[in-house]
């Protein structure tokens, strides 16, 4: 199925009261062999309900197939109703989870809710075959590949997952960190994307439990490279330590520029992301109460960033002209991206009220190196 096929257009442009709605809905359900198609489709706005549902399915499906359970991703499946065109993918995801839990009665119940004309139904047949409920006498090439993947020895990953869960349950910081690093290093050889997902999960779990991130930072920079290792920390800490996340974004950006092979488009994307993150931090009361620590780190990072931009983009970057860090960042953003800065300048920032600190932060910031 193509990302922008006619059946997507027909479905989203037809009112539910229309006599054609049911037909277009069934056509899309039958043709949809990958929920990611909806997530990538330019026909759907980023905030379109169907795209948001596709993202829920993608996260949940990854959770039940990569060996690292994500209860939040599974619970989000409740947001997808049985009337959704993605309901077959919801039920196959839950069926796979039940299969791995050897709960074959629940698996069968979920599979019964899947329309026989949809692609997930074929996946369900293979689950029934593997669980001994039915037998596929002559599986085709696709079915053979799927069966092979499901039957592969997962004992090592299963035992590692159990070890990680036990370490978290018992607050065993050293065991959790060492096991996660070993797992990420092993998976990186076979599947870099899966390794990144596990690294993100481990960083966030460690941050939420006040575990030291020093070993993670050292090892993930070795495993993924300097710029990408720092980027993973920026992504993982976005919802836990948004101010520290910005500092990691800046370090990753500076490292990318210094590497000398990053495209102008990639650098511009970094500036856009960091600008949006800064905007969120400046409107966070808890961070404003402790603004000084963040500003000091930000000042140092911006000076480094300015030096690298001046070296690698001399045709774009003008002088500092006495600008303070926040204004200098947005000037750099404008010069690199050509877009006006949407986040507050320092003069605007000074109009944001300060708040009294109500307590200590639950953790000390991660120690950052300034190259």
């Amino acid at each position: 199925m193509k990302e922008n096929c006619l059946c997507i257009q027909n479905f989203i442009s037809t009112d539910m009261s229309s006599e054609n709605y049911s037909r277009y809905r069934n056509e899309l359900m039958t043709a949809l062999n990958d929920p990611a198609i909806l997530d990538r489709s330019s026909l759907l706005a980023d905030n379109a309900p169907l795209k948001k549902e596709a993202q829920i399915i993608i996260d949940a499906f990854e959770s039940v197939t990569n060996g690292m359970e994500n209860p939040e991703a599974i619970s989000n499946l409740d947001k997808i109703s049985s009337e959704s065109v993605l309901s077959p993918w919801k039920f196959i995801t839950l069926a796979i989870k039940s299969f791995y839990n050897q709960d074959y009665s629940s698996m069968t119940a979920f599979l019964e809710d899947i329309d026989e004309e949809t692609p997930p139904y074929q996946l369900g047949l293979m689950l029934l075959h593997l669980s001994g409920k039915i037998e596929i006498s002559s599986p085709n090439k696709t079915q053979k590949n799927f069966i092979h993947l499901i039957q592969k020895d997962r004992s090592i990953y299963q035992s590692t997952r159990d070890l990680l869960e036990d370490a978290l349950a018992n607050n065993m910081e050293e065991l959790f960190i060492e096991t996660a690093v070993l797992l990420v290093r092993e998976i990186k050889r076979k599947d870099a994307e899966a390794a990144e997902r596990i690294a993100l999960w481990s960083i966030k779990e460690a941050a939420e439990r006040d575990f030291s991130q020093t070993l993670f930072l050292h090892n993930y920079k070795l495993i993924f490279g300097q710029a990408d290792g720092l980027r993973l920390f920026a992504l993982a800490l976005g919802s836990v330590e948004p101010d520290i996340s910005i500092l990691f974004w800046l370090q990753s950006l500076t490292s990318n520029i210094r590497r000398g092979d990053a495209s102008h488009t990639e650098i511009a994307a970094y500036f856009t992301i960091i600008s949006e993150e800064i905007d969120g931090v400046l409107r966070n009361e808890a961070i404003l109460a402790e603004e000084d620590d963040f500003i000091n780190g930000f000042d140092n990072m911006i000076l480094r960033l300015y030096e690298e931009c001046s070296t690698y983009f001399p045709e774009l970057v003008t002088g500092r002209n006495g600008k303070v860090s926040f204004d200098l960042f947005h000037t750099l953003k404008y010069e690199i991206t050509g877009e006006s800065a949407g986040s507050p300048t320092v003069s605007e920032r000074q109009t944001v009220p300060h708040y009294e600190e109500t307590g200590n932060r639950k953790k000390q910031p991660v120690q950052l190196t300034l190259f």
Side-chain angles (χ1 to χ4, degrees):
M1 177 181 175
K2 295 182 179 180
E3 295 179 12
N4 296 318
C5 75
L6 182 61
C7 55
I8 297 178
Q9 181 64 61
N10 286 339
F11 177 75
I12 63 176
S13 61
T14 302
D15 188 85
M16 293 181 64
S17 61
S18 170
E19 60 181 15
N20 292 322
Y21 177 78
S22 179
R23 176 164 66 90
Y24 290 147
R25 175 181 177 274
N26 290 337
E27 286 179 355
L28 180 55
M29 289 178 65
T30 302
L32 187 60
N33 55 15
D34 182 0
I37 290 172
L38 297 177
D39 187 36
R40 295 190 300 262
S41 177
S42 61
L43 294 174
L44 297 170
D46 288 342
N47 62 349
L50 195 56
K51 180 167 288 192
K52 290 183 177 180
E53 288 188 358
Q55 292 165 353
I56 290 173
I57 293 291
I58 292 168
D59 289 342
F61 195 87
E62 287 182 351
S63 171
V64 300
T65 57
N66 68 10
M68 301 300 293
E69 292 188 10
N70 184 343
E72 181 181 358
I74 299 301
S75 65
N76 282 337
L77 289 173
D78 292 338
K79 300 176 183 179
I80 299 177
S81 74
S82 58
E83 299 302 315
S84 169
V85 295
L86 283 163
S87 61
W89 287 98
K90 167 185 175 178
F91 293 127
I92 193 61
T93 300
L94 293 170
I96 292 173
K97 183 176 186 297
S98 297
F99 171 82
Y100 280 128
N101 291 336
Q102 298 184 332
D103 183 358
Y104 298 135
S105 60
S106 293
M107 179 195 77
T108 302
F110 288 128
L111 294 178
E112 289 175 350
D113 289 324
I114 300 176
D115 191 297
E116 294 184 10
E117 301 300 320
T118 63
Y121 181 80
Q122 298 301 316
L123 297 179
L125 291 178
M126 287 178 273
L127 291 179
L128 292 170
H129 170 82
L130 290 166
S131 60
K133 298 291 184 179
I134 65 171
E135 181 178 353
I136 300 177
S137 56
S138 301
N140 58 35
K141 183 178 179 180
T142 301
Q143 290 172 327
K144 287 180 179 178
N145 289 337
F146 182 83
I147 291 171
H148 172 69
L149 289 172
I150 293 291
Q151 289 180 324
K152 283 176 63 176
D153 183 10
R154 293 165 54 94
S155 59
I156 296 177
Y157 298 119
Q158 181 66 44
S159 62
T160 303
R161 188 190 75 178
D162 293 343
L163 192 60
L164 288 169
E165 291 179 347
D166 184 61
L168 288 176
N170 293 283
N171 208 39
M172 301 167 71
E173 177 177 345
E174 185 175 346
L175 177 62
F176 173 74
I177 294 172
E178 291 179 353
T179 304
V181 169
L182 289 172
L183 178 61
V184 169
R185 184 180 290 117
E186 175 64 25
I187 291 180
K188 173 68 162 52
R189 298 170 185 155
K190 304 174 183 179
D191 189 338
E193 186 176 337
E196 286 194 2
R197 290 198 300 268
I198 296 173
L200 286 169
W201 170 81
S202 65
I203 295 167
K204 187 174 181 180
E205 290 291 329
E208 291 176 344
R209 288 167 172 78
D210 198 16
F211 289 174
S212 170
Q213 298 277 16
T214 303
L215 285 177
F216 275 151
L217 182 59
H218 172 73
N219 283 283
Y220 288 163
K221 286 195 293 184
L222 290 177
I223 294 171
F224 298 103
Q226 177 91 353
D228 284 340
L230 292 166
R231 177 180 57 83
L232 289 174
F233 267 83
L235 287 168
L237 297 177
S239 61
V240 183
E241 293 277 9
D243 51 340
I244 302 301
S245 172
I246 289 175
L247 301 185
F248 273 115
W249 276 119
L250 289 169
Q251 278 211 71
S252 180
L253 170 56
T254 304
S255 180
N256 250 316
I257 295 174
R258 177 174 292 179
R259 195 171 58 190
D261 60 356
S263 68
H264 181 269
T265 300
E266 183 179 357
I267 299 303
Y270 262 96
F271 270 99
T272 299
I273 292 170
I274 296 170
S275 179
E276 293 172 352
E277 295 297 320
I278 290 172
D279 185 56
V281 164
L282 293 183
R283 286 164 173 74
N284 186 302
E285 297 180 11
I287 294 174
L288 286 175
E290 300 174 343
E291 190 177 284
D292 289 344
D293 287 340
F294 169 68
I295 298 301
N296 290 336
F298 187 84
D299 288 342
N300 290 327
M301 297 293 180
I302 293 301
L303 289 176
R304 293 284 185 179
L305 178 61
Y306 173 77
E307 291 171 1
E308 298 302 329
C309 287
S310 298
T311 299
Y312 289 94
F313 301 101
E315 74 283 5
L316 297 176
V317 177
T318 59
R320 290 176 57 191
N321 295 326
K323 292 184 176 70
V324 293
S325 296
F326 276 86
D327 290 345
L328 180 57
F329 171 80
H330 292 303
T331 298
L332 286 173
K333 179 197 173 191
Y334 174 75
E335 291 173 337
I336 298 296
T337 68
E339 299 175 358
S340 59
S343 297
T345 63
V346 70
S347 58
E348 292 170 319
R349 182 175 62 81
Q350 289 171 342
T351 66
V352 180
H354 287 250
Y355 295 83
E356 294 299 325
E357 186 171 356
T358 56
N360 295 327
R361 301 186 77 173
K362 68 176 182 178
K363 57 179 76 63
Q364 292 297 315
V366 177
Q367 182 64 41
L368 302 179
T369 58
L370 295 179
F371 304 98

